[in-house]
Amino acid sequence: PRACRSARRATGPMARNEEKAQAMLNRFVVAKRDANRVDMTKRPYLASECEDVSHCEVYRGQILKELSKKVSLIQNEGLDEHRVRDLNDAINKLIREKGHWERQIKKLGGADHFRTAPRLFEDDAEEVVPGRGYRYFGAAKKLPGVRELFRKRAPEREKRTRFEMLKGIDADYYGYRDDDDGVLEELERAAEEGSLQQAREDWEARKAARLAAGEPADEEESDGEGDGEDARRAERFQEALPDREAIERAILEKRKREMLAMLGGGDAGGAPKHKEEGSINLVPKSW
C-alpha cells in the first residue's frame, strides 16, 4: 500500500474512470472465483448424497457451530416455554444429523469421530430413558412435566430372599455359644445365690409361723399322714389289679365260652359249666 501511495504521488491523481475499471475488475475476479467454488452454505438433505470427505467435514463443522450456539441460548431460564421446547427439539435434531455425517465420513474412509471425537454437550444433557436418544438441555430440564421426570425417587427397600437371610445364621443365632465367654455363668451364679437365700428366708418365716400356731415345725411331719393314706390307697389298687396268670386264664375262659356258644354246648347264657377257683375274685365281672 505504501508503494502504491508513493506511485500515485509521483504520477499525480488517478483518473476516476480508471478507478472504476479497477474496481469493476476486482468485482469480476471475485465473482468468477465464487462461481467456480462449490456452494457450502446449504447442506444436502441426506448425508449419503455427499461423496467428498472434506465436504462432509465442513458440514459437520457447521453443525457443531449451530449446536454450540443453540446450547448457549437454551441456558437462559428467562426464555418462554415454547421457545425453550423449540430450542431443545432443534438441538436433538442437530445431534442426530451430526451422527449421520459422522457415519458418512467413516463410510468414505475418513476419521472415526465416534471413537476419537470428544463427547460434546453430554455434561449438560440428561435423558429420561438412558439410550433412547432424546435429551434435555439447560432450561428444558426445568419445564413443567419434565422436572418431575428427573426427580429422584426414594430407593425402595429390597426384600431379602430366604437364602440371604439364612446366610447370616450361625450357632450364635441359636445361642449355642452364649456360655463360652463366661459372662452368663457369672450372672446365673449370682441369680441362683439370691434365689436360694430368698427361699431360705421364706422357709424360716413359715417355720416360725407354724411354731407360733402350735403346729409341727417341719412340713414333712404335717404331710406324713396324707402320704401314708396315699401309700395305702396305692397298695389296695395294686392288690385289685389281676396278675399275668389271671389275665391269661380269663382270656382262655372267654375263648372257651365263645367256642361253646358256637358249638351249642353251653347254657342259654353262654356261661361255662366248670369254673376254676380263684379266678372269680381276680378277674373283673366284665370279663
Side-chain angles (χ1 to χ4, degrees):
R2 293 181 181 177
C4 293
R5 286 197 297 268
S6 60
R8 291 178 64 182
R9 292 194 191 99
T11 58
M14 186 177 296
R16 188 171 182 84
N17 293 334
E18 189 176 356
E19 291 178 359
K20 290 181 179 181
Q22 186 69 23
M24 184 64 69
L25 180 61
N26 290 337
R27 288 198 297 269
F28 173 77
V29 173
V30 171
K32 187 175 181 180
R33 184 176 63 247
D34 294 341
N36 296 329
R37 184 186 302 173
V38 180
D39 186 13
M40 305 290 292
T41 58
K42 186 177 181 180
R43 293 191 299 272
Y45 181 75
L46 296 177
S48 59
E49 296 178 358
C50 184
E51 300 295 337
D52 193 345
V53 178
S54 60
H55 293 175
C56 294
E57 292 285 355
V58 173
Y59 294 142
R60 178 179 176 274
Q62 293 177 2
I63 294 173
L64 290 177
K65 292 179 181 179
E66 294 179 14
L67 271 174
S68 178
K69 182 179 179 180
K70 291 183 182 297
V71 170
S72 301
L73 287 175
I74 204 172
Q75 304 300 326
N76 185 8
E77 297 183 1
L79 295 175
D80 295 335
E81 180 180 342
H82 68 279
R83 175 61 175 165
V84 174
R85 293 185 184 275
D86 293 341
L87 280 173
N88 198 76
D89 293 340
I91 291 172
N92 281 273
K93 183 178 179 181
L94 287 173
I95 290 176
R96 289 194 300 270
E97 188 177 355
K98 181 174 70 71
H100 297 328
W101 285 106
E102 290 176 350
R103 278 189 288 271
Q104 181 66 12
I105 292 172
K106 182 179 178 181
K107 181 180 177 180
L108 296 175
D112 187 1
H113 294 287
F114 289 105
R115 300 182 58 182
T116 59
R119 300 295 180 180
L120 301 175
F121 318 115
E122 289 190 357
D123 296 337
D124 183 60
E126 291 188 13
E127 293 179 295
V128 177
V129 181
R132 290 293 183 178
Y134 195 87
R135 304 174 183 179
Y136 292 90
F137 297 82
K141 294 183 289 186
K142 299 181 181 180
L143 291 172
V146 181
R147 186 186 305 107
E148 291 76 7
L149 298 176
F150 294 110
R151 185 176 299 167
K152 295 183 179 179
R153 299 180 181 178
E156 297 182 359
R157 184 177 180 181
E158 296 182 358
K159 186 177 181 180
R160 296 191 301 171
T161 61
R162 186 178 182 85
F163 174 74
E164 292 176 350
M165 291 188 289
L166 292 177
K167 284 197 301 184
I169 295 178
D170 52 5
D172 293 333
Y173 178 81
Y174 295 101
Y176 291 148
R177 295 187 291 201
D178 290 347
D179 301 337
D180 294 350
D181 53 0
V183 177
L184 189 60
E185 294 180 359
E186 296 294 334
L187 297 175
E188 289 179 348
R189 188 179 297 109
E192 183 180 0
E193 293 177 357
S195 300
L196 291 176
Q197 182 66 23
Q198 183 66 30
R200 191 179 298 109
E201 293 176 358
D202 295 342
W203 179 79
E204 292 177 354
R206 290 196 301 270
K207 182 178 180 181
R210 286 194 300 271
L211 291 176
E215 297 178 359
D218 295 336
E219 294 179 357
E220 297 179 356
E221 295 179 1
S222 61
D223 298 338
E225 298 179 359
D227 295 342
E229 184 66 22
D230 294 339
R232 287 190 295 272
R233 189 180 299 107
E235 290 177 1
R236 289 196 300 269
F237 181 74
Q238 291 292 337
E239 293 175 358
L241 290 176
D243 55 359
R244 184 179 182 85
E245 296 180 357
I247 294 174
E248 292 178 355
R249 289 196 300 269
I251 293 173
L252 183 60
E253 289 295 333
K254 186 175 181 181
R255 290 180 179 176
K256 286 181 180 180
R257 289 196 301 270
E258 292 176 354
M259 294 297 295
L260 291 173
M262 292 175 62
L263 298 174
D267 54 1
K273 296 180 179 180
H274 301 284
K275 297 181 180 180
E276 296 183 3
E277 297 181 358
S279 64
I280 299 175
N281 297 329
L282 296 177
V283 179
K285 296 180 179 181
S286 63
W287 289 34

